[in-house]
Amino acid sequence: MSTNFDAGADAHLPSAPRYGFGRCECRGCAAAQPQRRLFTGLLAAGGTLAATPLWAREGVNVGKKSWAADLVPAQQVEQAAAQQYVQMQREAAQQRALAPANHPQVIRLREIAKRIIPHAYEWNPRAKDWRWEVNLFASQQLNAFCMPGGKIAFYYGILEKLKLEDDEVATIMGHEVAHALREHARERMGKNGLTRLGANVVSSLLGLGNVGDALLGMGSQLLTLTFSREDETEADLVGMELAARAGYDPAAGVSLWQKMGQVSKGAPPQWLSTHPSGPTRIRDIEASLPQVAGLYQRAEKPTRRFEIAPPIPVRQG
């Protein structure tokens, strides 16, 4: 294993997006729950996945992808995300904060991703052509994310501080991959464009007269995007299904959010946050477990289990 990696480096990564699993953006004026597009249980009136009839599909049902995502070209968003991800790796490498391929936790993350990714294609046909990447960064933040185009990042802090088991890692990874599959970044960018610039400007963006400027602008937006509670709940459910199909216990979401609750005491109340509260997420997960129980039962289980990430050594002096 390379010695040019310091798990306790707590790197400064300006190119890392502000969103992610452990991030919570507060809005003092966001007192009302956003209208959900989620449909669970036996509701057959919602949208469907691709062309599969709801009654013929086993698993969660979260309705159709938002119309706002189609306001921004997917290929350009994915290119911008890829550029940003490369820059983030450069920043980390300069600080000895990019884990090498032979690091035990990188091997662990990539093995879990290898099981999850094949189940992603049903949710988004573009995912078959994505150049998926999984990397580990030395940061003490409790965070992980998947950028558009399948660029997955975990911070060492979330693995080590929460003492995550493989099923919990798969739950987080499934959640973040779900954000990319459901194109929540494109959706936010589309809605932000309409809100800030007006429909005419968004329409002109579709022409992309200057691709370089467009990519630069999209990269800047990717840095500061925040997902809604609706997005987060949707990602919880889709991620739970991805984990179950990959052979990881979908009930791990309960223990995961219990752990998150223990380390995030003092977090703002739900009505001040764009994220659902831990207890709300746990209730939603528990209510949806029957929809994926059969998938998990029949799934091929991992033959290899990995060690929990070891603690970061205490620095002397």
Side-chain angles (χ1 to χ4, degrees):
M1 184 172 65
S2 171
T3 58
N4 195 33
F5 174 68
D6 179 5
D10 201 18
H12 174 60
L13 303 172
S15 295
R18 305 296 179 260
Y19 58 80
F21 191 82
R23 298 292 175 82
C24 183
E25 302 293 337
C26 302
R27 292 179 184 168
C29 59
Q33 276 275 20
Q35 186 176 5
R36 287 170 140 197
R37 64 173 175 269
L38 301 178
F39 300 86
T40 57
L42 298 177
L43 293 180
T48 59
L49 255 183
T52 306
L54 176 59
W55 56 87
R57 186 184 184 277
E58 184 178 8
V60 301
N61 175 41
V62 291
K64 294 180 179 179
K65 185 180 70 176
S66 171
W67 55 267
D70 293 330
L71 295 174
V72 183
Q75 184 177 3
Q76 307 305 326
V77 174
E78 291 162 11
Q79 287 178 1
Q83 291 177 7
Q84 188 178 329
Y85 191 74
V86 168
Q87 181 59 30
M88 181 183 170
Q89 291 178 81
R90 289 189 187 126
E91 292 164 357
Q94 291 169 0
Q95 301 170 68
R96 296 179 59 208
L98 178 63
N102 62 348
H103 189 283
Q105 293 300 312
V106 174
I107 294 171
R108 179 194 197 192
L109 292 172
R110 290 178 179 175
E111 284 298 316
I112 293 172
K114 198 180 297 182
R115 298 183 63 86
I116 288 176
I117 290 169
H119 302 289
Y121 307 149
E122 179 186 358
W123 288 92
N124 188 328
R126 292 186 62 82
K128 292 181 180 180
D129 299 321
W130 288 351
R131 297 185 63 182
W132 292 87
E133 294 185 65
V134 186
N135 280 290
L136 174 65
F137 297 85
S139 171
Q140 296 180 34
Q141 295 180 39
L142 305 182
N143 205 25
F145 52 84
C146 179
M147 300 174 71
K151 307 302 184 184
I152 300 170
F154 269 72
Y155 289 174
Y156 195 86
I158 198 168
L159 297 175
E160 184 263 330
K161 292 181 182 178
L162 297 187
K163 297 179 172 55
L164 296 179
E165 304 281 353
D166 287 356
D167 295 306
E168 294 166 331
V169 173
T171 296
I172 293 175
M173 190 177 295
H175 173 100
E176 295 307 322
V177 166
H179 277 307
L181 296 174
R182 297 294 284 174
E183 300 188 278
H184 290 155
R186 281 181 71 204
E187 176 186 347
R188 290 296 121 200
M189 292 167 75
K191 288 180 177 177
N192 289 347
L194 285 174
T195 301
R196 296 175 185 172
L197 306 175
N200 289 338
V201 177
V202 173
S203 296
S204 68
L205 177 62
L206 295 177
L208 289 174
N210 189 325
V211 174
D213 289 345
L215 290 181
L216 182 62
M218 288 177 180
S220 299
Q221 288 190 62
L222 285 170
L223 278 176
T224 57
L225 285 175
T226 57
F227 296 139
S228 69
R229 291 183 201 159
E230 180 184 22
D231 295 338
E232 293 298 329
T233 304
E234 184 174 294
D236 281 346
L237 298 183
V238 174
M240 181 172 64
E241 180 182 312
L242 291 172
R245 289 182 181 276
Y248 295 100
D249 188 354
V254 174
S255 61
L256 171 63
W257 282 105
Q258 288 170 342
K259 289 181 178 181
M260 286 291 288
Q262 290 170 1
V263 299
S264 61
K265 289 176 181 177
Q270 179 171 349
W271 63 271
L272 283 178
S273 170
T274 59
H275 287 40
S277 68
T280 297
R281 301 180 98 139
I282 289 172
R283 285 195 299 271
D284 285 347
I285 289 168
E286 289 177 332
S288 301
L289 282 174
Q291 298 175 58
V292 298
L295 297 173
Y296 174 58
Q297 268 185 352
R298 298 189 302 273
E300 181 182 349
K301 307 302 187 292
T303 56
R304 181 181 180 186
R305 289 286 174 169
F306 293 87
E307 296 286 335
I308 291 173
I312 298 170
V314 177
R315 295 182 185 275
Q316 301 297 325

